[in-house]
Amino acid sequence: MTDTTHARALSGTGVSAPQTVHANLTAPGLTTHALRRGEGRLSADGAFMAVTGVHTGRSVADKFVADDPEVTQEIWWGKVNQKLDPAKFEAFTTDVRAFLGAQPELFTQDLYAGADPAHRIKVRLVTTNAWHAMFARNMFIRPPVEELEGFEPDYVILHAPEMEAKAEHGGRASSTTLIALSFAKKIIAVAGTSYAGEIKKSIFTVMNWLLPAKGVLPMHCSANVGKAGDTALFFGLSGTGKTTLSSDPERALIGDDEHGWTKTGVFNFEGGCYAKVIKLSKDAEPQIWDASHRFGAVLENVVADERGNLDLDNGSLTENTRSCYPVEFIPNTQPGGMAGLPKNVVMLTADAFGVLPPIAKLTPAQAMYHFMSGYTAKVAGTEKGLGKEPQATFSTCFGAPFLPRHPEVYGKMLAELIERDGAQVWLVNTGWTGGAYGTGQRMSIKHTRALLRAALDGSLSKAEFVQEPFFGLAIPKAVEGIPAEVLNPRDSWADKAAYDKTAKDLQSRFEANFETFAGAVSEDVKKAAIKAAA
């Protein structure tokens, strides 16, 4: 490459040009370089397989935000957004740039975040590895070639996974990993972790910062649209089924994880999917299965035999095995990644206690309450240090780790949008039934799909609903094809006294968590709150 091309590829990054810069290569070129460099291998079907080492999930304790004076008053400081002294951020990024500039070759990608041209940002990634460049190329929106000329980034990602962060960089003294971002300088720097999800979620954090000021709600949700133009949103944390349930052959996929809700509709932030594939079933999830078994997909920490045949049941590296592929690998996708206003909003939870119903219809006040609560169970392996067992957790707005602003900012926006656009909200449990984790069984995906289709086509709203006594949820009395004992979780437990005790325990957890945001909600929401029985 010429010096001119070097300068263009690294413009705005502050990185000096090494010997070779591979700019905006497509999957064939990136795969060739990744194999040449020994970054991984191919599966029998041609997908690129990478192993990320010690970090097989996000390092949440190593994420820091520069405490720049122009933004400090608006940031939700605490465990999610840990303060980093601006001078230390500068020292860290200086060292990352020096590390990158000293490499014999680098890979850059110029990409968009945001399908809606009115709300998109330009992102430039500079990384040491071809496979990370391919991940980013799969994950974000790929501009047409003619739009790359003169591309100047709004945000820059400096990605140096092989570099070790130092104590003087301001992160954790005991850690060599640091993910730091500055909203003022519009820079993200990553060191000490090869887990590619850090690239994706850093930009999601940026979108969560930028869009509320423009009157757009950023959401940790998947989305699809029916043949009648009815858009549906699926909120939920990792492992709750966002990707699986939104990949429906009967509905066009808008996107699997991150979206914005505007005055006119919904748009995807991304151009790809990042599916959790542990125990992926070809019968239950054929679209994701096919997308993961082809050239162009990037597989993280997936195990295969010597011939490259995938063993998706093997969690020996991590339970958080991942497949990243362009959204068009799913056969039925929404052109342009945009659709109309939501008609249905689904809040997904993987209830590890097994006491929530498979589906419940929420009032607007309950919708706000459950959005702010964000109850689910973290699935083993999605975060470093979580351990082998799922843990019940509350993550406000179903995405607390990615919210730079105070949660009530997003909560109030959602409440206003639901009221304005008249969307019906549903709570869906994709977790356990018939007992808690370890005793009961995982909810049947066939039952979940059937209930969702009834909700989305409007037929479920016409059913007779009854209120279950523990959580105040309206549950359907009968749905064709669904056993009655499945609809009412207490009926699915052999030991009713054990159910009552477990449900009361979860009531108490909801009540304790509500104290963290009770002061920021309306009286209607306070009345809808789950309270422990006296």
Side-chain angles (χ1 to χ4, degrees):
M1 298 180 70
T2 66
D3 288 341
T4 302
T5 307
H6 272 74
R8 185 183 304 125
L10 295 171
S11 175
T13 68
V15 177
S16 60
Q19 185 176 349
T20 304
V21 178
H22 304 285
N24 293 314
L25 297 184
T26 57
L30 291 169
T31 300
T32 299
H33 285 296
L35 293 172
R36 169 183 63 82
R37 289 165 48 84
E39 295 175 8
R41 63 178 177 132
L42 295 182
S43 73
D45 303 290
F48 188 80
M49 302 177 64
V51 177
T52 62
V54 64
H55 293 283
T56 58
R58 289 180 296 104
S59 295
V60 292
D62 295 307
K63 176 188 171 185
F64 288 78
V65 178
D67 187 16
D68 299 306
E70 53 265 65
V71 300
T72 187
Q73 295 301 318
E74 297 178 67
I75 294 177
W76 179 37
W77 296 113
K79 290 183 179 180
V80 169
N81 300 294
Q82 302 178 89
K83 287 186 179 183
L84 183 63
D85 182 276
K88 291 187 176 181
F89 178 85
E90 188 64 29
F92 175 53
T93 53
T94 296
D95 285 355
V96 172
R97 288 187 178 103
F99 180 90
L100 292 171
Q103 302 305 305
E105 59 184 335
L106 291 175
F107 298 85
T108 67
Q109 287 286 318
D110 295 334
L111 302 159
Y112 293 143
D116 187 339
H119 303 297
R120 72 169 41 138
I121 62 170
K122 296 177 181 178
V123 177
R124 175 162 289 160
L125 170 75
V126 184
T127 182
T128 54
N129 295 316
W131 86 264
H132 282 114
M134 186 156 67
F135 171 91
R137 186 172 182 82
N138 282 357
M139 205 65 256
F140 299 114
I141 297 170
R142 298 157 289 282
V145 174
E146 60 271 18
E147 294 181 19
L148 293 174
E149 187 68 30
F151 187 102
E152 291 296 332
D154 299 309
Y155 273 79
V156 169
I157 305 174
L158 304 173
H159 190 251
E162 299 84 8
M163 174 183 155
E164 293 188 353
K166 301 173 183 177
E168 56 262 35
H169 291 148
R172 290 191 300 150
S174 61
S175 177
T176 56
T177 299
L178 181 57
I179 303 102
L181 65 93
S182 168
F183 295 120
K185 296 188 182 332
K186 300 183 178 180
I187 293 171
I188 298 153
V190 179
T193 172
S194 290
Y195 181 66
E198 301 289 8
I199 298 171
K200 164 188 161 70
K201 289 304 186 186
S202 292
I203 292 299
F204 184 42
T205 302
V206 168
M207 297 297 273
N208 277 320
W209 169 254
L210 295 173
L211 292 181
K214 300 175 70 176
V216 176
L217 174 64
M219 303 174 292
H220 187 208
C221 71
S222 59
N224 63 26
V225 59
K227 294 173 183 176
D230 55 307
T231 300
L233 305 179
F234 301 80
F235 285 95
L237 294 179
S238 173
T240 56
K242 292 193 313 298
T243 301
T244 297
L245 295 172
S246 56
S247 298
D248 185 335
E250 301 299 317
R251 300 173 63 84
L253 179 69
I254 304 168
D256 85 322
D257 195 49
E258 304 170 6
H259 293 83
W261 188 340
T262 72
K263 293 179 180 178
T264 56
V266 169
F267 69 96
N268 191 3
F269 291 173
E270 301 178 310
C273 301
Y274 193 37
K276 195 163 183 282
V277 293
I278 191 71
K279 296 181 173 58
L280 184 73
S281 163
K282 185 175 183 178
D283 292 333
E285 300 162 278
Q287 294 182 325
I288 301 172
W289 174 280
D290 290 341
S292 304
H293 287 75
R294 60 181 285 186
F295 177 79
V298 174
L299 305 179
E300 265 188 316
N301 300 311
V302 172
V303 176
D305 64 19
E306 65 277 4
R307 295 177 178 270
N309 298 302
L310 304 182
D311 181 2
L312 297 179
D313 291 333
N314 191 325
S316 59
L317 294 177
T318 177
E319 291 289 306
N320 190 35
T321 55
R322 293 278 178 169
S323 174
C324 172
Y325 47 85
V327 69
E328 56 265 26
F329 279 19
I330 300 295
N332 189 25
T333 55
Q334 178 74 353
M338 300 171 65
L341 295 168
K343 184 177 180 181
N344 288 281
V345 174
V346 180
M347 296 183 182
L348 300 168
T349 177
D351 174 29
F353 293 105
V355 293
L356 290 180
I359 196 164
K361 184 167 66 172
L362 302 183
T363 65
Q366 285 178 318
M368 173 72 167
Y369 173 80
H370 283 278
F371 183 67
M372 294 297 287
S373 297
Y375 167 69
T376 189
K378 287 182 181 178
V379 181
T382 54
E383 291 180 10
K384 188 173 182 290
L386 188 61
K388 296 181 179 180
E389 300 294 327
Q391 295 177 1
T393 188
F394 293 89
S395 183
T396 186
C397 306
F398 292 98
F402 322 115
L403 303 182
R405 299 181 184 271
H406 292 270
E408 52 262 34
V409 171
Y410 310 96
K412 288 176 180 177
M413 287 187 76
L414 180 73
E416 291 167 1
L417 289 167
I418 289 172
E419 181 179 3
R420 186 195 72 186
D421 297 334
Q424 176 59 60
V425 186
W426 306 89
L427 182 68
V428 171
N429 175 23
T430 61
W432 282 259
T433 183
Y437 174 81
T439 302
Q441 62 275 358
R442 195 74 191 255
M443 197 75 68
S444 163
I445 191 169
K446 291 182 179 179
H447 289 160
T448 300
R449 285 196 184 279
L451 289 168
L452 274 175
R453 283 175 180 157
L456 301 187
D457 68 19
S459 61
L460 189 58
S461 290
K462 301 172 185 176
E464 180 183 354
F465 285 78
V466 295
Q467 187 179 76
E468 59 78 42
F470 289 93
F471 306 100
L473 297 170
I475 59 176
K477 195 171 182 180
V479 178
E480 186 177 352
I482 307 296
E485 65 272 15
V486 171
L487 295 172
N488 189 328
R490 189 174 188 270
D491 293 342
S492 70
W493 283 51
D495 187 340
K496 308 303 184 200
Y499 173 88
D500 294 346
K501 181 180 179 181
T502 306
K504 289 176 181 177
D505 176 63
L506 186 56
Q507 279 182 328
S508 298
R509 292 172 184 254
F510 267 101
E511 187 174 46
N513 180 70
F514 180 64
E515 294 175 5
T516 64
F517 63 86
V521 298
S522 67
E523 287 301 316
D524 284 347
V525 176
K526 290 177 182 178
K527 290 178 182 177
I530 294 168
K531 301 177 181 65

